[in-house]
Every structure is written in C-alpha cells, then in structure tokens.
Amino acid sequence: MLIKTLGLSQLIYSASNLDVPKGIVEILRTKSFKFLWKKEKDKTKRSGLYQDLDNGGMRMTDFDIMLKALKLAWIPRLLRISDNNNCCSIPKHYFRSKGGLNFLLGCNYDTNQKQELILFNNKDILVDGKPIFLNEWFKKGILSINDLWNESGSVLTFHEFRDKYSFKSNFLRTIVTKKELFKFGIKADDEYVYCGDRDSIEHSFIECMFTRLFTQKVLNWFDQVNAYQISPTTEETLFGITASSHDSTIIRKFNYTALFMRYCIYSAKLNSLAISFQDFVSKLLIK
C-alpha cells in the first residue's frame, strides 16, 4: 500500500529511536484514513481494516502496535550488544539503576504467586503511586516477597531483617530533614517547623516537645482503646516491638499504630501542618 511504502517508511527510523508523543499517533491515524477514503467519511469500521485479507481486512497498520513493536525490538539488540558498545550506554545506564535489563525482564507481575512476587519495578507494589527500586536491598539479594519472611512464615521483624541481611543503618536514615536540606543549600535554615530548634531525625521523632506530646497521646489512646497497658521503650516506639511477653495481636496492633504515627509526624512536618491527634485517630480507624 502507498500508505506503508511512502508514508510510514519515512517515520519508522525516527520512531524507533525517539519517544513519539501521544498526539502524533492520532494525527497519523486520521491522515492515513483520510488518504484511504479520499478525504471522505470512513466506509467501514477501522477495526475491521486492521484484519488480515482472509478475514475481510486490508492489513492496515495499527500505529499503536507498530510503535510498541519498534520499542520492543530494542530488547534483543540490547541483550546482544556488549556493555562496551557506546551506542547503548545511555539505556543500559538507566536499566542498571533499576536492577539491569535481565532483572527487569524477570519481574513477576502475577499477584496470585505471593511467595515469588518480585518486589521491585512492580505495578502492584507502589509507594506514592509509583513502583520502587531499592539498590541497597537489590545488592543484598532481596528480590521477592519470599525474602521478607522468616522460617515460621511470618514477616521479618526489624531486628531480624537487619541481622539477616547485615544492614548497619535503620530505615530512619533514609528520611531527609531540614538539617540535610540546609547543608546542601536547598533550604534557607535548619529550624524544625514546630519549635524552631535545629532539625534532625532524632529531634523530629524523639526530642521535640511537640512530638513527645503527640506520641504520649497516641500511646495513652492505644492503651485505652485496647484495654491493655503497654509501656514501650523509645526504640520500640520507633522500630516496633519484636520479642515480647505481650499478646501477639496487641503487638501487631501497636506496631501498625506506631508506624502510622511516625508517618503522620513526618507528613505533617513536610507540609508545615499541625500534628493533629484527632486526624490521626480518624485516619487510623479508616485504615
């Protein structure tokens, strides 16, 4: 067909190397069908024209599928070409930041296989609506959900996780405060939003009088709601209770409550909002 020979042939090379804006696809589709019907209205459904000749179609090119095929054609090329080849240095650099192309091709999106579900670059495991990739975890061999269970079939506690994979830092070290932002010139000062003292991880979650007051309210509320007296240490409030003589159901409830409490503190601080105990309770009960 003239459309394929004289029209699409001029676009294939560019489309295989560059990102094609969504609007271009619709423009190509409209112009192609106008050419086919000599600028008159379509005489048959477009979906039928994409079919083979044996099925009554004309094998009209589906531009969406064509663009996807051009992109997919890069996969075997990248797998064949060595890392020393400069022509693929940019895409391979990007893939390495996500674990590498071979790893990405092996990601499992079947949520029915919970034990083998790949953690990273997974559309079903999202943080702030986006898939995640933790390079430090990847280097330690943490790839699937199965790597987060202990021998008894329960989720690893913080201490079990740290000991099993030899992590020297805790999760709080991934949190950015104004201390770091001020150091790199991103913020004009390093003052904690609630009290004006110097911001830091320790101050945000432990030392600030407003944080301590909010934490105590949460602990008192937890004891009252569950009719259970629990007196966690500072470490247990931050990282959760692991081995304990407390009831296992109470421990799970407390760890979830403490985790959500830390999230509320950090989220309120980022948005310069007051730490509201009532909002915390209402959101926690909804969850």
Side-chain angles (χ1 to χ4, degrees):
M1 291 177 63
L2 289 175
I3 294 175
K4 294 181 179 179
T5 305
L6 301 179
L8 295 182
S9 62
Q10 308 299 314
L11 303 172
I12 288 177
Y13 179 77
S14 297
S16 64
N17 291 279
L18 301 172
D19 182 48
V20 180
K22 293 181 180 179
I24 298 298
V25 174
E26 187 58 36
I27 292 173
L28 287 173
R29 184 182 294 114
T30 300
K31 288 184 176 294
S32 296
F33 280 102
K34 279 188 176 181
F35 177 81
L36 178 65
W37 301 118
K38 298 180 180 180
K39 297 185 179 181
E40 295 181 4
K41 289 185 177 181
D42 293 1
K43 294 180 172 58
T44 184
K45 286 187 177 181
R46 294 183 178 183
S47 58
L49 297 178
Y50 295 133
Q51 306 299 319
D52 289 332
L53 298 175
D54 295 339
N55 296 324
M58 297 177 60
R59 301 191 68 181
M60 190 75 171
T61 301
D62 187 319
F63 299 110
D64 285 321
I65 294 177
M66 182 192 78
L67 293 176
K68 290 178 182 178
L70 290 173
K71 292 176 181 178
L72 289 172
W74 274 102
I75 293 178
R77 295 176 199 163
L78 292 171
L79 292 174
R80 285 196 306 267
I81 298 174
S82 66
D83 292 336
N84 297 326
N85 196 310
N86 292 331
C87 72
C88 295
S89 58
I90 294 177
K92 288 199 172 185
H93 173 75
Y94 172 78
F95 286 132
R96 277 196 296 271
S97 69
K98 303 296 182 182
L101 180 57
N102 286 314
F103 170 70
L104 289 171
L105 293 175
C107 287
N108 181 4
Y109 295 98
D110 185 0
T111 55
N112 292 322
Q113 300 179 17
K114 297 294 184 183
Q115 295 294 317
E116 298 300 327
L117 183 64
I118 299 296
L119 289 169
F120 308 126
N121 309 311
N122 191 321
K123 65 183 178 65
D124 296 311
I125 301 178
L126 308 176
V127 176
D128 292 332
K130 298 179 181 179
I132 61 171
F133 178 75
L134 303 176
N135 192 48
E136 188 177 6
W137 285 29
F138 181 76
K139 290 179 179 179
K140 295 285 186 178
I142 306 171
L143 303 177
S144 71
I145 292 292
N146 191 45
D147 297 321
L148 300 180
W149 301 117
N150 57 27
E151 294 180 355
S152 62
S154 301
V155 178
L156 291 170
T157 65
F158 168 74
H159 296 288
E160 289 174 337
F161 179 82
R162 183 184 60 186
D163 295 340
K164 180 177 180 179
Y165 295 108
S166 302
F167 277 105
K168 296 181 180 180
S169 61
N170 60 60
F171 78 98
L172 288 176
R173 293 301 168 188
T174 65
I175 293 178
V176 177
T177 67
K178 290 183 72 176
K179 174 183 176 181
E180 291 78 28
L181 297 177
F182 174 69
K183 178 180 179 180
F184 291 100
I186 299 174
K187 290 289 186 180
D189 59 71
D190 61 353
E191 295 180 358
Y192 191 51
V193 65
Y194 298 121
C195 61
D197 292 338
R198 294 188 64 184
D199 193 11
S200 66
I201 293 174
E202 291 80 5
H203 190 78
S204 295
F205 293 96
I206 303 173
E207 299 170 355
C208 176
M209 59 177 293
F210 294 97
T211 299
R212 293 203 307 269
L213 180 61
F214 176 71
T215 300
Q216 191 57 53
K217 284 184 178 180
V218 171
L219 294 178
N220 292 340
W221 171 83
F222 182 87
D223 289 345
Q224 182 179 359
V225 169
N226 293 280
Y228 194 94
Q229 184 68 35
I230 192 167
S231 301
T233 64
T234 299
E235 182 181 9
E236 289 173 336
T237 303
L238 289 175
F239 305 114
I241 298 176
T242 54
S244 174
S245 58
H246 297 293
D247 179 75
S248 59
T249 301
I250 291 293
I251 292 177
R252 285 197 299 271
K253 287 183 178 181
F254 174 81
N255 288 342
Y256 178 80
T257 302
L259 176 64
F260 190 66
M261 176 188 70
R262 296 192 297 272
Y263 166 78
C264 288
I265 292 173
Y266 190 66
S267 178
K269 186 187 79 164
L270 286 181
N271 295 285
S272 299
L273 300 174
I275 307 176
S276 172
F277 174 72
Q278 295 301 327
D279 286 347
F280 164 81
V281 172
S282 61
K283 291 178 181 178
L284 182 66
L285 293 178
I286 291 175
K287 291 179 178 294

